Amino acid sequence: MTATSAGNGGPVIESWEEGQFAALEVVEAALPPPVTEGTVLEAEDIHVSFGGVRALQGASMRIPAGTIVGLIGPNGSGKSTFFDVINGFTIPDSGRIRAFGQDITDMNPWHRARLGMCRTFQANHIDPNLTVFENLITGAFLSISGGVLTSVFQFPKSRRDQQQAAELTRAVARLIDLEKVLEVRAGVLSFGGQRRAEIGRSIMSRPRLLLLDEPSAGMDSQEAGSLLRLVTRLQSDLGFAVCLIEHFVRIVFDHCSIVYALAEGRVIAEGTPDEVSNSKAAQQHYLGEQ
């Protein structure tokens, strides 16, 4: 692959191999038009308590269009809770969330998914007993007309949607380097392969905002760097925004244009990677541990 600079001191973005460009066109055509300007998501003054534990205490975040935003902090700082609030799994005690131009504070997760919000989790959520193809195509369920019933009875519109979903599955598999193992049971893939399958399934859901919760959990730094380079290529060429929680701080600084540091449920530093790495609060609460 050929490496190209993202400019403005940003990450180096590797280009696709020659055989992947046709697949990229298929995926681009299937995705909704990306948000190209303004703000994709804004969470403001979020408070969440679980009993006597205050998990978030006035945390705020802004994700501009077309960016990769990193969320870092020590264990127990509130990162996953913040993701749960953004994703709709947890309703905040107070504060507001806007995404794609509308207030989504009280919106349930599946309606957020229909708006274009997709999420992966720390633990793999693929089905190890299904093939890679079957795992990937499940991400297209929102785009198949009529759901399960019409799929079973093979109504014409449903058949067309399934054919398009199958074509998209093969294209996504080529981009994430899983094309040769589409008929292999997902459980036999390497851990990194399973992670790529989970990210591929999220792409099948046609995201405008992709939330990645510890995508490199269980990997060494080299594997993690390879995965984040893939995410950077996908984000750059497909145009969706990304927000990721990641424990490899150097990888966050290398691939994110904006970073938020959390500690004790509060945002203690925000800005460019250089600004956050030089923040005394971030160094005191977290970066000094690295």
Side-chain angles (χ1 to χ4, degrees), residues 9 176 229:
I176 60 176
R229 286 192 294 273

Side-chain angles (χ1 to χ4, degrees), residues 87-236:
N87 193 216
F89 291 164
T90 297
I91 301 300
D93 300 327
S94 62
R96 307 304 298 176
I97 307 168
R98 290 185 59 81
F100 314 118
Q102 59 183 291
D103 191 314
I104 64 166
T105 309
D106 300 315
M107 186 178 291
N108 58 46
W110 52 92
H111 284 149
R112 298 184 197 207
R114 289 187 180 278
L115 289 178
M117 185 181 297
C118 303
R119 178 183 178 178
T120 67
F121 296 83
Q122 283 183 314
N124 279 339
H125 277 56
I126 64 171
D127 189 325
N129 296 312
L130 296 179
T131 66
V132 172
F133 180 91
E134 291 166 338
N135 270 282
L136 290 175
I137 203 168
T138 58
F141 75 97
L142 286 175
S143 62
I144 296 177
S145 301
V148 175
L149 183 62
T150 54
S151 295
V152 169
F153 287 100
Q154 291 287 291
F155 294 144
K157 180 64 165 65
S158 176
R159 284 200 302 271
R160 287 195 300 272
D161 287 349
Q162 289 182 63
Q163 290 168 355
Q164 291 172 353
E167 180 184 10
L168 178 60
T169 299
R170 289 187 287 271
V172 167
R174 174 167 287 192
L175 293 184
I176 60 176
D177 198 26
L178 291 178
E179 184 181 29
K180 295 180 180 179
V181 293
L182 275 174
E183 301 308 320
V184 172
R185 188 171 62 84
V188 306
L189 295 180
S190 67
F191 193 81
Q194 292 180 22
R195 281 298 195 191
R196 293 200 308 276
E198 191 166 18
I199 290 173
R201 185 175 60 190
S202 296
I203 302 301
M204 292 290 299
S205 300
R206 296 170 165 83
R208 292 195 288 169
L209 171 61
L210 182 58
L211 305 173
L212 302 178
D213 191 351
E214 296 276 13
S216 69
M219 298 181 181
D220 61 30
S221 59
Q222 184 174 358
E223 293 173 317
S226 177
L227 183 69
L228 263 295
R229 286 192 294 273
L230 171 63
V231 171
T232 301
R233 286 201 305 277
L234 291 167
Q235 184 277 325
S236 176

Side-chain angles (χ1 to χ4, degrees), residues 10-24:
V12 171
I13 301 174
E14 296 176 344
S15 65
W16 302 104
E17 294 178 352
E18 184 176 352
Q20 293 176 309
F21 284 109
L24 182 64

